[in-house]
Each structure stands twice: as structure tokens, then as C-alpha cells.
Amino acid sequence: MKQYLALCQRIVDDGVWIENERTGKRCLTVINADLTYDVANNQFPLITTRKSFWKAAIAELLGYLRGYDSAAQFRAIGCNTWNANANDNQAWLNNPHRKGEDDMGRVYGVQGRRWQKSDGTPIDQLKKIVDDLTKGIDDRGEILTFYNPGEFDMGCLRPCMHTHTFSLLGDTLYLTSYQRSCDVPLGLNFNQVQVFTLLALMAQITGNKAGQAYHKIINAHIYEDQLELMRDVQLKRAPFASPQLKINPMIKSLEDLETWVTLDDFEVVGYEHHDAIQYPFSV
């Protein structure tokens, strides 16, 4: 929590105003932010200086791990974040690769589970990583990446958090996640929840202990219509202690994650928070 607030204060104090062509808004921006999450001691990085909603973040992560390519699939597991990108993005609606309503194309989990080789055959990046880590193998290339420039035109959105690298030291698993762009008031806590949960889940299903998760953000920004709420409201609040995330111990394999796991298999305990803040969202 202190890391999050320190980053917010850094942007307020040292950020540079940058025009964002996509949204038509200015962003107060810094380059390079590094956050560390203590998964080993279950210090769940859920923001306490405003009420934060964690379930959709975990639902979205489950959809990525399953390789979902439809907003309808995400809605079915409790995540609505893909509705607009799949159905209200005019450039995507006009794209000949779009298959119809709710289609997202080849984004995020599709790349992670069905990356296409030049001959058209798929590569399941995630399964290879799980198989290696279960055997205690780290070939220094246990990398799950969603960033495929050759297929950007075949999906509704480029990935923001695009690459996850797993590292095994003995029986302790670490994760380093890379994010190219981050809306700090709204998006960052969503991403923090996903980085933490991804390491916790991968350690559990591969039979390893979870260590630290490292989250690197390249472009961290606050939009101009968010600045006042961040500076004059959220940064004035004192944080509470971090809650904990409980994961159903019966989740023991990638197949479990693919088939029967739901949000009911996750619980946050000890979450104290201030009132919600309605930050504007920039599409």
C-alpha cells in the first residue's frame, strides 16, 4: 500500500504533462515504476485508501489463463471489462478479422495458450511453463507473453500488462511482470491483484512455495480529470493494514483452473478500506 501511495505522490510531484492522442486528454506521467508484492507472507496488495473491487480482476486473470477470446466468456465468470473493447470500439467493429458480437480476437490469453507458429500450429506457452515448474525446472525462459506485434491487427486491443517471467530458486517461485502503460488511479490496483494472484496460483499448482512478485511499469500516469481526486482526496487518507487472499487448496493443476474454478474459490479476509472514489475512466 505504501508503494502505491508513493508512486501516486511521485506522479503528482514529478510527473510531466503528456498529450494522449487516443483519449484526447493530458496525462501527468512518469517513466519506470517498480513495485514488489510479498506473496510469501500473503500481503495482498488491495488498495485501502479507497474501496477496491478485486473479484473482476481475478475473474479476468482466470479468463486469460483459459485463453478466452470472447467478452461473453468473461461475463460468464464475473468480468465485464471486455464488453466495450469487443463491442464499442469502432476500429475493431470495422476490422475484417472480427468474428461477430463479443469477439475479442487474438488478444491476451489467446496468445498465451495458442500462439501461432509460422506454419499455423499453436504453441501453448502456459502449459510448457507449468510442466517445467512442476518438475522443478527453470530453463531461464519460463516466459508467458501476450505481446505479438505480428497479430495486433487481429485483436481489439494491444496488451498493457504483456509479459510474465517465472523464476524458480530451489522450491520458491518468483514472478516478474512487465506493463507498458498504466492508469494509476483506476487500473493499477486491478493489475496488482492479478500479479499477486498469478504467482500464488502458479506456485500452488506446480507444488512450489510463493516468493516475491515484481511488477515493472514503464509509463505510469494520472489523467488530468483524475488529478484533483488523487491529490486532494486519496492521498490525504491514511492506509489500513493489507488484507490476505485465501485460495481454495483443492486447486492443484492447470486443468483445475481451466475447468471448475470460480470466484467462490477465492476469499479476501481482513479488508479495511475508506469510501470508494469515482475516478473518471478514459476509453
Side-chain angles (χ1 to χ4, degrees):
M1 186 65 225
K2 291 181 180 178
Q3 296 176 94
Y4 174 87
L5 294 175
L7 173 57
C8 295
Q9 191 67 59
R10 176 187 162 203
I11 297 173
V12 170
D13 293 341
D14 302 328
V16 175
W17 285 110
I18 300 295
E19 297 286 344
N20 182 256
E21 183 177 348
R22 179 178 61 85
T23 62
K25 298 179 183 179
R26 294 189 308 157
C27 299
L28 201 56
T29 305
V30 299
I31 300 301
N32 192 49
D34 292 290
L35 301 147
T36 302
Y37 312 130
D38 188 359
V39 187
N41 292 303
N42 201 357
Q43 298 295 301
F44 192 48
L46 197 59
I47 296 303
T48 63
T49 47
R50 66 170 174 83
K51 185 177 182 180
S52 189
F53 301 92
W54 56 272
K55 288 188 176 182
I58 292 180
E60 184 179 65
L61 176 63
L62 286 176
Y64 292 165
L65 297 180
R66 292 170 177 174
Y68 283 174
D69 62 3
S70 167
Q73 292 173 300
F74 281 93
R75 286 197 300 274
I77 59 172
C79 176
N80 289 298
T81 57
W82 283 96
N83 294 339
N85 285 313
N87 298 307
D88 299 332
N89 179 337
Q90 194 58 50
W92 178 238
L93 295 178
N94 296 335
N95 192 309
H97 293 291
R98 186 174 185 264
K99 298 175 182 177
E101 185 178 0
D102 286 325
D103 180 46
M104 296 159 47
R106 292 188 56 77
V107 297
Y108 282 92
V110 176
Q111 301 292 349
R113 302 305 307 270
R114 300 187 299 279
W115 183 287
Q116 288 187 3
K117 296 170 63 175
S118 58
D119 62 3
T121 57
I123 297 175
D124 189 338
Q125 299 180 66
L126 182 61
K127 187 176 186 305
K128 177 265 184 188
I129 295 168
V130 170
D131 288 347
D132 278 358
L133 296 178
T134 301
K135 298 171 186 174
I137 296 171
D138 176 0
D139 66 4
R140 301 180 185 176
E142 308 300 346
I143 299 171
L144 176 67
T145 185
F146 306 140
Y147 206 78
N148 187 348
E151 293 189 349
F152 283 165
D153 64 327
M154 299 175 69
C156 64
L157 185 71
R158 285 187 303 164
C160 290
M161 189 154 60
H162 56 82
T163 300
H164 304 277
T165 300
F166 296 91
S167 303
L168 192 60
L169 296 180
D171 62 353
T172 301
L173 185 64
Y174 297 83
L175 171 63
T176 306
S177 296
Y178 304 87
Q179 186 167 355
R180 65 175 178 84
S181 175
C182 185
D183 174 341
V184 171
L186 275 179
L188 179 51
N189 199 213
F190 206 86
N191 302 130
Q192 290 177 296
V193 166
Q194 291 179 332
V195 172
F196 182 101
T197 306
L198 179 58
L199 176 55
L201 281 173
M202 287 290 283
Q204 183 165 311
I205 68 173
T206 61
N208 291 291
K209 295 185 295 187
Q212 308 296 303
Y214 305 103
H215 185 180
K216 176 174 281 294
I217 302 166
I218 305 304
N219 184 303
H221 51 265
I222 298 173
Y223 282 97
E224 57 186 329
D225 54 5
Q226 299 170 331
L227 180 58
E228 184 176 353
L229 284 171
M230 174 58 74
R231 182 190 60 219
D232 300 338
V233 180
Q234 189 165 358
L235 282 173
K236 302 294 185 185
R237 295 174 173 178
F240 296 103
S242 296
Q244 293 191 326
L245 177 67
K246 289 188 175 181
I247 300 175
N248 184 347
M250 296 305 295
I251 301 173
K252 296 179 179 178
S253 68
L254 180 57
E255 183 179 6
D256 290 342
L257 291 176
E258 294 169 334
T259 55
W260 58 264
V261 174
T262 71
L263 289 179
D264 291 337
D265 295 295
F266 303 87
E267 180 186 4
V268 172
V269 296
Y271 183 36
E272 292 184 85
H273 56 80
H274 291 268
D275 292 339
I277 298 174
Q278 299 300 319
Y279 280 111
F281 175 68
S282 298
V283 179

